[in-house]
């Protein structure tokens, strides 16, 4: 048996070279190598450093690295009575297309996964449509908690999320008992309206899934109308188009509104997502119109897409990375008991003006 007689760095030459690549290093192996108890090694590996002296902890950590120890996830889950597995629940799609069709959802999902991974938790993506889908997913995979994203307010309520299941809802009004994170949607709508009216636009359109029970869209519409009223415009200066949040939906809308743009009865469009705004700009362009000379187009999110299309999109920017990190933090606070009650957080927004918005046509 090797012994530790000098600095922790000496462990690096210990028996890792003598072990088969297939040998699974155990806590007992680490304890034998360092000359301490298995409980001491367990405390170090599991972060209970208050029970171990700094010098001993350093020796154990050096041995862990030298021997290539990998914690047994199943054993850790059993000991903690948690699986460290978190579900990200999104609306299932009957056409079997990707659950992550929205650049916003892709960005938030990536941020949630990174935040969970940094705290030794794992993300499982699941498409659900009913309360039974939720309960089946939670039971089958023993999920510690879930993040719910992409659902309208009514759809979240229909999922009938168990009161005992740690849950964070993204961009929907979840009601009492559930943690929530969303952007400051009303302010976002107001900033969009202020930007366009300041440029002289008096004939405005806001487009998005307005026909759904989406509190997100309703708040953005309300903020947009508020800005128009403050600018002295009549209520009928703002029209609302119910449009799916897709690039194709935007292209189709751009083609439909082209006659209004030519007639001068519509000069600016605010889309509730960048991908929709990019489609509107393309649809107008296909109809022979110019953005922003003939009509301004403004998006929401400030996704990478906004900087990659031509013209680059003016947009209401929200920090999707922060949104994902906050969702993960709120959830783990509930899972670990750090937060006794569900919390909510609102992500601030700001206007980012680029080339797709300009003065109203003379």
């Amino acid at each position: 048996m090797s012994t530790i007689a000098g600095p922790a760095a000496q462990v690096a030459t210990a028996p890792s070279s003598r072990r088969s690549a297939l040998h699974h290093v155990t806590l007992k192996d680490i304890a034998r190598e360092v000359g301490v108890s298995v409980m001491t090694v367990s405390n170090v590996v599991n972060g209970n450093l208050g029970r171990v002296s700094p010098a001993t902890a350093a020796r154990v950590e050096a041995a862990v690295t030298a021997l290539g120890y990998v914690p047994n996830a199943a054993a850790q889950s059993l000991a903690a009575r948690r699986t460290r597995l978190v579900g990200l629940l999104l609306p299932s799609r009957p056409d079997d297309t990707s659950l992550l069709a929205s650049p916003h959802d892709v960005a938030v999902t990536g941020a949630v996964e990174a935040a969970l991974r940094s705290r030794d938790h794992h993300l499982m993506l699941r498409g659900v449509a009913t309360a039974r889908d939720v309960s089946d997913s939670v039971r089958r995979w023993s999920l510690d908690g879930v993040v719910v994203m992409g659902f309208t307010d009514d759809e979240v309520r229909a999922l009938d999320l168990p009161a005992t299941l740690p849950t964070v809802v993204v961009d929907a009004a979840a009601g009492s008992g559930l943690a929530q994170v969303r952007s400051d949607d009303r302010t976002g709508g107001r900033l969009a309206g202020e930007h366009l009216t300041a440029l002289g636009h008096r004939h405005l359109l806001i487009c998005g899934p307005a026909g759904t029970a989406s509190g997100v869209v309703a708040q953005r519409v309300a903020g947009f109308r508020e800005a128009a009223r403050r600018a002295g415009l009549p209520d009928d200066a703002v029209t609302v188009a119910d449009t799916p949040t897709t690039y194709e939906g935007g292209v189709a809308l751009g083609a439909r509104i082209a006659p209004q743009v030519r007639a001068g009865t519509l000069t600016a469009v605010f889309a509730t997502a960048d991908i929709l705004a990019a489609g509107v700009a393309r649809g107008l362009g296909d109809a022979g119109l110019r953005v922003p000379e003939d009509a301004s187009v403004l998006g929401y999110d400030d996704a990478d897409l906004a900087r990659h299309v031509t013209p680059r999109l003016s947009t209401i920017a929200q920090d999707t990375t922060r949104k994902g990190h906050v969702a993960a933090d709120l959830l783990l606070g509930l899972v670990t008991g750090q937060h006794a009650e569900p919390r909510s957080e609102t992500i601030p927004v700001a206007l980012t003006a680029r080339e797709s918005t300009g003065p109203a046509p003379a």
Side-chain angles (χ1 to χ4, degrees), residues 280-297:
V280 171
R282 174 60 185 270
L284 291 171
D286 288 348
L289 295 166
R290 300 165 300 162
V291 175
E293 292 83 359
D294 297 315
S296 289
V297 178

Side-chain angles (χ1 to χ4, degrees), residues 113-173:
E113 192 280 330
L116 291 174
R117 176 162 33 91
S118 71
R119 294 172 64 177
D120 197 24
H121 284 70
H122 313 281
L123 185 68
M124 182 182 72
L125 193 65
R126 297 288 290 180
V128 298
T130 65
R132 179 166 184 173
D133 290 341
V134 174
S135 60
D136 286 350
S137 297
V138 171
R139 285 199 304 266
R140 181 176 300 178
W141 300 102
S142 299
L143 300 178
D144 287 343
V146 296
V147 175
V148 179
M149 182 168 66
F151 294 89
T152 66
D153 303 5
D154 286 352
E155 289 170 340
V156 170
R157 286 188 284 269
L159 292 178
D160 195 24
L161 295 158
T164 56
L165 175 67
T167 302
V168 175
V169 178
V170 177
D171 286 336

Side-chain angles (χ1 to χ4, degrees), residues 22-111:
L22 296 179
H23 178 75
H24 178 70
V25 179
T26 67
L27 295 181
K28 188 178 292 185
D29 293 328
I30 302 294
R32 183 184 303 115
E33 193 64 35
V34 180
V36 296
S37 70
V38 173
M39 180 58 70
T40 296
V41 176
S42 177
N43 283 330
V44 174
V45 169
N46 290 298
N48 300 320
L49 299 181
R51 303 179 181 181
V52 184
S53 71
T56 299
R59 291 165 54 202
V60 170
E61 288 168 354
V64 165
T65 300
L67 298 179
Y69 172 74
V70 178
N72 185 306
Q76 285 187 322
S77 297
L78 184 62
R81 297 185 179 179
R82 292 197 287 114
T83 62
R84 295 182 176 270
L85 187 61
V86 169
L88 177 59
L89 309 183
L90 296 111
S92 60
R93 299 179 181 274
D95 54 2
D96 290 329
T97 56
S98 171
L99 295 174
L100 296 173
S102 161
H104 165 274
D105 292 353
V106 171
V108 174
T109 298

Side-chain angles (χ1 to χ4, degrees), residues 10 21 37 65 93 98 110 132 167-168 172 187 193 196 205 231 233 235 297 309 314 320 341 352:
Q10 286 185 274
S37 70
T65 300
R93 299 179 181 274
S98 171
R132 179 166 184 173
T167 302
V168 175
T187 296
L196 294 174
L205 172 72
L233 301 183
D235 289 344
V297 178
V309 296
S314 295
T320 49
E341 298 292 336
T352 299

